[in-house]
Amino acid sequence: MAFQQRDQILKGHLLAVHRSRLFYGYPKIQAALRKEGFHANHNGVYRLMKGLNIQSVIRKNDDISIAIVCDSP
């Protein structure tokens, strides 16, 4: 019963961190939870995120244009 209560509390804070930082995956969310005083390992955070169907938003890389200058005589 204690684990279920702890998981429910952790889920609430996990959702709050996810809403404020959409680009955070489970390692960064785990670090943010540790800063708030919650001790949860990465496997537990990953399991809870999977159960809540939470995924981080993947950033797209900007297209980088590279100009090649050739000095030909």
Side-chain angles (χ1 to χ4, degrees):
M1 190 69 171
F3 290 112
Q4 291 173 350
Q5 290 176 346
R6 187 198 64 174
D7 282 352
Q8 289 300 322
I9 294 169
L10 206 55
K11 282 180 185 181
H13 288 279
L14 193 142
L15 283 170
V17 171
H18 176 69
R19 286 186 190 121
S20 65
R21 308 263 193 251
L22 293 176
F23 296 109
Y24 277 14
Y26 72 91
K28 285 188 178 181
I29 287 181
Q30 184 227 0
L33 289 173
R34 282 194 182 252
K35 283 185 181 179
E36 292 181 7
F38 293 98
H39 296 287
N41 65 5
H42 64 281
N43 292 327
V45 173
Y46 180 77
R47 176 180 53 83
L48 291 174
M49 286 180 69
K50 196 171 182 179
L52 292 170
N53 200 18
I54 294 176
Q55 291 182 341
S56 65
V57 176
I58 305 298
R59 295 182 210 172
K60 291 185 179 180
N61 291 336
D62 292 336
D63 290 335
I64 298 173
S65 298
I66 300 175
I68 300 175
V69 178
C70 296
D71 292 330
S72 298

